[in-house]
Structures are given as C-alpha cells and as structure tokens.
Amino acid sequence: MIPKIILGTGNSTQLIRYLYGPGRANEHTDPHLVASWNDFAPDPGRHPSRTTAQLARQLDHPVKALGERAPRDKVWHCPVRADPGDRHLTDAEWADIAHRIVHATGIAPAGDAEACRWVAVRHAPDHIHIAATLVREDGRRPVRDFDRKKAQAEARRIETDYRLRRLTPGDGSAAQRPTRAEQEKAHRSGHTRTARERLRTTVRTMIAAATSTEEFLDLIERTDGIDLQVQRFPSGDVRGYKIALEGDTNTAGQPVWFAGSTLAPDLSLPKIRQRLDATKTAPTSQRTPNPWHEASAATERIPYHLDQADDAAAQAHLAALGEAPDALPLIAPPALRPHLHQAATTFEPATRSRTRAEHHHARALRNAVRSVLREPAPKDTAALAMLLDAALLVVLAAERWHERRHHQQQANAARHTLAPLQTAYEQAAAAPLAALAERRPPHQTQERHAALVRDVLPAHADQIINSPGWEALTAVLTDAKTAGHAPARLLEQAADERTLSDARAPANVLIWRINRLSQHPAPDPRAQAAQARSSATHRVAPSQVPASAAVPAQPQAARRHRR
C-alpha cells in the first residue's frame, strides 16, 4: 500500500472536480465518498443534487475564515493505492484506512473535534484520494511533522492488519518514482518509460563512460535527443546541470527540465564530480593489460570486499559494479542490449544505501570499464560472457550484503537483477562455449583432466564433469597446458578466487577464469616447481572449509588415502 502526500497552494475546488471527474483517460469509474471529517459531507457521486462546488466550499470554510491570514499551503492531498496483487477492499475498509492515515499524519487525530476537514474519495477499485484543508476548525495549523514518514509507517501496519502484500520500507536512498502524470504522458506519446526514467539511464551511462566532470557534460551535450543546460557560479565554475528530452514540453510549450538530483540522489553534479575525481588515474605510457580481463578480475574481487568490515569501501564497489551494465549496451550486440538495460535498471537501487561510498576503493573496476568502452568492440562475445559470469556471483553476494544490513529494497533489487543478467550471460556465452566444445581434446586427455578435477576440486567434481560445459573446459585446460601452464595450478587459482558454491554452472565459471588466468605468461620450470611445492603444503580442500577460511589443508596424499 502506497500513500503519497502532495501539498497545494490553491483551494479545494480544482482537486474535488478532478476526483469526481472522468479522469485524464476516462479511468475514473463510480467516484463517491467513502469517509469524511463528520460523516455528513455532501457526496456528488451518490446524490446528484449535491455538487462538487458545495463539497469544496465546506472543506474550505476554515481557510476562508482566516482571510488574508490563511497559509500559503492550503490543500493536503494523499492518494493511497493498494498493490495490484491485493484483493479489492470494500468501501468500509477504505473508510477505516482513510481514518487511520489522517490520524497518523496529524491531519485529524482521533477524538479531536477541532481537527482539519477532510474527505476520502474512491473512483477506482484499487485506491482512494484523501483531500484535506490545512487549517483546523479553531484556526490553527495542524501538527503534521514528518507526515510522509508517518503515512508510510501506518501503511505498513495497515498491510499487516488487512493481510495485504507487505511492501519494503525504504531508507530514503531510492530514486524518485515517476508520477502518474508522467506515466500517462509517456503512454500517450507511445513510450514504455517516462522521460525521467529515460534521462536517468542516459546520465548513468555517460557517468560510466566519462573520466571527468567536463567529459561527462560534453558527452551529455553530444547525445542526440537531449537538451542540456549548465548552471554556473558568478566565477564561471560549473554549479549544476539540468537536462530535458527534445520534444518533451509542458502546457506552455517549454522543455520539461530535470536537475540531476531529481533523477536520483547520486546524480547531482557534486556527487558525480566526487565519484569521477576519486577514481582518476594518472596517464601512463606503458602497455595496458586486456581491459576485459581487468574488469572481470576486479569484479571477481568484489565479494571479498563485501566480506570485510569497511562498509564505505563495499558500497563503493557496488556503485562501480552498477556502472558495468550501464556502459555495456554501448558495445554489446543489439540482441543483448535490452537484457543489459533491464539488468542496469533493476540493479540501480542496489548501488545506493545510507552508507556513504568512498569511491577511490573501486578505482580498478571503474577504470577498467572505461577502458573497455575505448577499445574496439571484440569480434565475439567471449569477453562479455566472462565479465557477466563474474557479475552474476557478485550480484548474489550483494544481495546477502544488503540483507545483513537490513537494506530490504536493495536486497530485492539485487535478487531481481539475476534473471535479466542470467539471460544476457547465456546469450553471450552460447557461441564461445560451443566453439570451445568443438575443439575438445581426445577422450584420453579428457580422462586425465577429469582425474585432475577430482583431485583438486573433489566437492564440485561430479557437477563439473557431468555438466554441458565439460568439453569446453577440457579444451581450455588443454590450451593452457600447451601454453606452458600447469592445469592443476590454474584450477586451484580459479577456485580460490571465489567459492564455486554459488555458481549455477561451476564448469563455466572455471572456463572463464582459466581463460583469463592463462593469458598471463607461463612461469618458467623453476617457478612451476616452487608453485607445486607451495600448493602441496598450503592447498585448502573446498569440501572441508569455507572459501573464506584461511587454514592449511591436508596434504594431497592424505586426501587420496581417504578416498
């Protein structure tokens, strides 16, 4: 159940006419009163002899009695909407809900004969509108401190009492919801998303691509279909910005402008500048590594950071992770873009919380994503699949991180991100995995790889060997061995980077990790011997301890003896 409080400066006449009218799209059916301040207010919906003007005059009577001393904000309007999945409430139930809302918000406390005048009008099955005037019968103003929070808290109690779907209370970090007027305007213009939502996506994409505030504003200005106004201090320094969609105008024909802070709390220019300045890196003339591999490696390290005590650093990594699906549609194949856009939009609430992010902690991932955008698009989707595979495990870790801190809205957002992200991954991975499977080694070599997997990863061996990705994994292990790497060492490194327990397909996770790790030069024979000795002494058996536990494993020979 969602209450939304709106203040107005006029009188009640216009609002009452709207509530009893046909609506903007004839959506108002059977408008009628379900409750009022005295239960005797005239109801134009049930008694045609009564008019909306009569009802408005009665509501406004205490306001007009003050004359010039009347307050500027005179009208209090609170739509209360049930969830689409809820049962249809009766008029009597809606009347009780209206009484509870005006009591909780201080508009009309129960038993207060001098309270404000108010009415509750129902013109659709799923919601009511409460209209009140903000002058009490005794001429004083109502005490309505924090009425929005109080209305939300009462709505949670109403959901429990009426056994309705319980919505998750927010922490104030969410982006503003589109208004009904914005939604209807988008529908009339043939768009599925409102102007506010489309502009929010554009701004987030440009942040992911930009390396400075100046470049961010330049990218916005050069984006087709977007108007930009930069606001400056008298000194000439940039103070803020606002943007509008070309062709999106108000009734006066003027562009509908949105400041960055009205799109989302983290999209104001000061917060964008803080994020970009914190992740700047000095230019270097050295050859940079593969940015896709760097982005994947930085992504796979995020669960480790989420397990630490530094919440500000963890929040920074989640914000940086959110920029990846914002940026990837710019270079992804057209078939994958809708799924990436959906994942970005769904995950966006999980990138913010009341914890202030210290963005410099996430410099590696953010800069890797920017480097990806500056590289020529890859010929296939293998690199994209590698990054999305890493992101899937991180989204699971993000859900748990938010749940531990009781960030329910953010945890829900992370959970709902998995479906579109999984779809994007499966489409990106299909062709590269099929190509690897076609290069599978001979049966004898596959058997040797199977014995190696059972020895190194006994807890996951059966799932890996019997999975559809097994033949592709054997091809990757064979390529790595040909390049001079020790397959056992690569398997250990790949498993140690992050537990495989969360993975839907552990074989695929190993494919992408080993593919990335094997791109590094193979160690010389002396280094390989040292690695083997270290592995035999310190290797941890995944089946025996959690991935986060730093305790020595039993030697390989002891594990063989147990089997």
Side-chain angles (χ1 to χ4, degrees), residues 370-386:
R370 291 169 185 158
S371 298
V372 162
L373 296 179
R374 285 160 172 75
E375 290 280 320
K379 295 180 181 179
D380 60 22
T381 54
L384 176 59
M386 180 192 307

Side-chain angles (χ1 to χ4, degrees), residues 42 44 54 64 72 77 106 108 119 124 130 158 186 201 245 248 285 292 298 315 329 343 381-382 459 480 491 530 538:
Q54 287 177 310
K64 291 181 178 179
R72 181 177 180 275
H77 176 205
V119 295
I130 305 173
I158 291 169
T201 297
L245 287 177
D248 182 31
S285 58
W292 287 96
Q315 186 63 63
T381 54
L491 281 169
H538 299 292

Side-chain angles (χ1 to χ4, degrees), residues 267-306:
L267 298 186
S268 66
L269 192 66
K271 291 191 175 180
I272 292 173
R273 181 183 287 118
Q274 181 187 50
R275 185 188 309 187
L276 296 178
D277 288 351
T279 52
K280 279 183 179 177
T281 53
T284 176
S285 58
Q286 297 178 352
R287 183 180 179 274
T288 57
N290 185 317
W292 287 96
H293 291 181
E294 291 293 294
S296 299
T299 299
E300 289 192 331
R301 286 193 293 269
I302 292 177
Y304 167 79
H305 297 294
L306 297 184

Side-chain angles (χ1 to χ4, degrees), residues 284-346:
T284 176
S285 58
Q286 297 178 352
R287 183 180 179 274
T288 57
N290 185 317
W292 287 96
H293 291 181
E294 291 293 294
S296 299
T299 299
E300 289 192 331
R301 286 193 293 269
I302 292 177
Y304 167 79
H305 297 294
L306 297 184
D307 287 339
Q308 307 308 303
D310 191 344
D311 282 5
Q315 186 63 63
H317 286 288
L318 293 179
L321 177 66
E323 291 184 10
D326 285 326
L328 291 177
L330 295 174
I331 53 176
L336 272 65
R337 292 172 190 170
H339 306 298
L340 292 171
H341 277 305
Q342 186 182 353
T345 302
T346 307

Side-chain angles (χ1 to χ4, degrees), residues 448-467:
R448 286 196 296 270
H449 289 322
L452 187 64
V453 169
R454 288 192 175 94
D455 182 57
V456 177
L457 303 172
H460 303 283
D462 288 340
Q463 187 181 4
I464 292 170
I465 294 169
N466 297 319
S467 72

Side-chain angles (χ1 to χ4, degrees), residues 346-347 350 395-396 398-399 403 408-420:
T346 307
F347 190 69
V395 169
L396 281 169
E399 178 188 348
E403 284 181 338
Q408 282 306 124
Q409 286 189 342
Q410 290 90 333
N412 291 342
R415 186 181 311 114
H416 295 147
T417 303
L418 291 171

